[in-house]
Structures are given as C-alpha cells and as structure tokens.
Amino acid sequence: MVMSDLSATYPQRGSSPSCEALRGISLTLGPGEVVGVLGSAGSGKSTFARIAAGRHLDRDFGTPPAITGGDAVIFGQSLRHATRRQMDRLAADIGYLPQGATNRLQPDRTVSELVAAPILERDRDFPTKSLIALVAGMVDSVGLSLQLMEKYPYELSGGQRQRVALAAALVLKPTMLVADEPTAGLDLSVRDTVARLIVNLSADTGLQAIIVSHDLPVLRRTADRVMVLDQGRMIALGTIESILDDPSHPYLMQLAGALDDGHAIIDDVD
C-alpha cells in the first residue's frame, strides 16, 4: 500500500458543514510490515483505517468520505478513481476489522456461519467439505475451541466474539489486515492473545497489517512502526520508542507522560 499526500473529506450534511478528516497523509506499507496508528478522538484514525481497507465507498460503515487530494494505491489499484466493482474485488485481499466489530456479528448465525459468510458471499457453490475444513482451521488459528462452532454470539464472551470477528476478517487469506481497535474492551490476557495472533500471522504469511489502537503495550508488541495522527495530519512516524523519546507535539507529550505514569491505555478513541 502506498498513500501519497492523501486528503479525505466528509460531505456537507444538512446544516453541518463538510469536514476534512485527513490532510496530506503519506505512508508506504511493506510486505509483512505492521504499522500502528495512534491519535486522540477526532484525529482521523478510523477514517484512515476505512480508506486503507478500501471500504470508503461502503455505506455499511457510515457516511462515505471522499478522497479529495492525493491518492492511495493498494495492490496496484488507485482508490481515488476506483469504481464500486473494483473496490469489491479489492476487498477480498484486505481483511477489515472495524471498530466495534463484535456488535456487527449477526446474532442469529452460529460461529461457523459467521466465519463462512465472506467465502459464501463470493462463491455460493463453494464445496461444503472444503468450506467446513477451511472454517474449522480458521477458528482454530485464532485460538477458539472447535466446540464453539455451533454457538451463537450471545453464548460467547467478549474476547471470543472478537476472535470470531477476526477469523471472519482473515478467512479469505487476505494479503493485508486493517484492524480498528481490535483489543478495545478486552481483558489483558485476551488482548495479548489477539496481539500475538497478528504478529504470528505477519511473520508466518507476510501479512501486512494496520492496527489502530490506543493500547500502547499492544502496539509495542505488534507494530514495526507507529503513525500518530492529530486533527487529520500525521505528526509522527517511526518506532514507538523513537517517537516517545523525543516528543515534539503536545499529544506526543501526553503519550510519553502516560507511559511514565504507568498507564497502558490512552483515552479518547474516535
């Protein structure tokens, strides 16, 4: 993925003016690289994640932002001038775990049905035996017991539901994963499990990943580099240690201070 001077704006709605969510973002994501994204509420993190996942035209995730400057090229596809059909084809190569993914799990579907859904959306005639094996392997790979395959979301813990959402995002074996707050609301042991899964997948398969998180320990364990956003602009990019060792911006000073005070979670998630 290559973003070049990317800007994105949400259109005017009623009496509300248009809102520029991203301003001049440039980033290159290499094979097997994990980039973390930090920022306060309203910094543009979720908009960045949505565009990086190629879901900026999809109204299922809210009002679509328009790319108004620069471009993002993912696997050779320009996003600025892409059609909906082109974006649908691209989506198979990008796993997307949106913020609040567990709330999007359909309550009347079992774990196996939820994980199988992305496959069947693209091929209704996918062989049943192969489908069962593929889904079971994916469920196992995210650390869930196969005994949960026929359970419904309400029968699972929050951590189990998050891993079901992650399995569904990865079942098509994408080249890139975009995860927006994948560990929010999870206890420490489950956060560690999710972080370890992403690191292992990146190391084993060359999976590229973008992880939006306000959980500094998770980013320290998973991210090769961290990008910090503030009011839609990138104010820092580098290893988390290099950024926090020399904070030159008020938000970076807040992050450094939080670590000094022993806080693992930074408030203000957009």
Side-chain angles (χ1 to χ4, degrees):
M1 182 196 76
V2 178
M3 284 190 177
S4 305
D5 201 27
L6 180 83
S7 296
T9 300
Y10 286 96
Q12 181 177 354
R13 296 187 67 191
S15 59
S16 300
S18 61
C19 172
E20 189 175 34
L22 296 173
R23 308 175 187 182
I25 305 297
S26 294
L27 175 72
T28 298
L29 183 67
E33 185 178 21
V34 179
V35 170
V37 182
L38 275 169
S40 59
S43 63
K45 302 188 305 294
S46 290
T47 301
F48 173 85
R50 185 174 169 184
I51 291 175
R55 268 43 174 215
H56 60 294
L57 301 180
D58 194 337
R59 291 185 176 274
D60 288 345
F61 302 102
T63 302
I67 296 176
T68 51
D71 201 357
V73 177
I74 303 178
F75 309 134
Q77 174 65 60
S78 163
L79 299 193
R80 185 167 186 177
H81 304 293
T83 65
R84 182 60 184 267
R85 180 175 293 181
Q86 288 171 324
M87 296 312 303
D88 286 344
R89 285 200 297 265
L90 186 64
D93 284 328
I94 306 172
Y96 183 39
L97 196 67
Q99 192 173 150
T102 58
N103 298 326
R104 296 176 178 272
L105 297 176
Q106 293 177 268
D108 59 345
R109 289 191 176 187
T110 64
V111 168
S112 60
E113 290 171 333
L114 289 165
V115 177
I119 299 171
L120 295 176
E121 284 172 7
R122 286 165 175 77
D123 183 1
R124 290 186 168 217
D125 298 320
F126 198 89
T128 302
K129 268 190 168 181
S130 299
L131 181 66
I132 292 171
L134 188 55
V135 169
M138 197 70 250
V139 167
D140 180 64
S141 74
V142 297
L144 288 173
S145 168
L146 296 184
Q147 295 177 347
L148 299 178
M149 294 271 284
E150 299 311 311
K151 298 288 187 182
Y152 293 90
Y154 72 88
E155 299 178 283
L156 307 177
S157 68
Q160 289 170 332
R161 289 195 296 272
Q162 186 72 324
R163 281 180 274 181
V164 170
L166 182 60
L170 293 171
V171 73
L172 292 174
K173 300 188 183 304
T175 307
M176 184 166 80
L177 171 69
V178 179
D180 192 352
E181 295 294 346
T183 61
L186 304 182
D187 62 42
L188 183 59
S189 63
V190 178
R191 293 205 308 268
D192 286 342
T193 298
V194 172
R196 200 161 48 245
L197 282 169
I198 294 172
V199 169
N200 290 344
L201 282 168
S202 178
D204 295 343
T205 68
L207 180 78
Q208 302 176 5
I210 291 173
I211 303 174
V212 175
S213 181
H214 63 307
D215 188 326
L216 291 176
V218 164
L219 291 183
R220 271 194 155 150
R221 285 192 290 275
T222 58
D224 301 300
R225 292 185 294 160
V226 171
M227 178 176 73
V228 184
L229 295 176
D230 182 63
Q231 297 182 5
R233 296 187 182 277
M234 183 170 69
I235 59 172
L237 177 65
T239 65
I240 197 164
E241 287 79 11
S242 67
I243 288 172
L244 299 183
D245 282 349
D246 185 23
S248 56
H249 185 279
Y251 181 68
L252 298 180
M253 293 177 187
Q254 178 191 345
L255 291 177
L259 278 185
D260 288 342
D261 293 340
H263 296 299
I265 307 295
I266 303 299
D267 293 330
D268 289 336
V269 182
D270 64 358

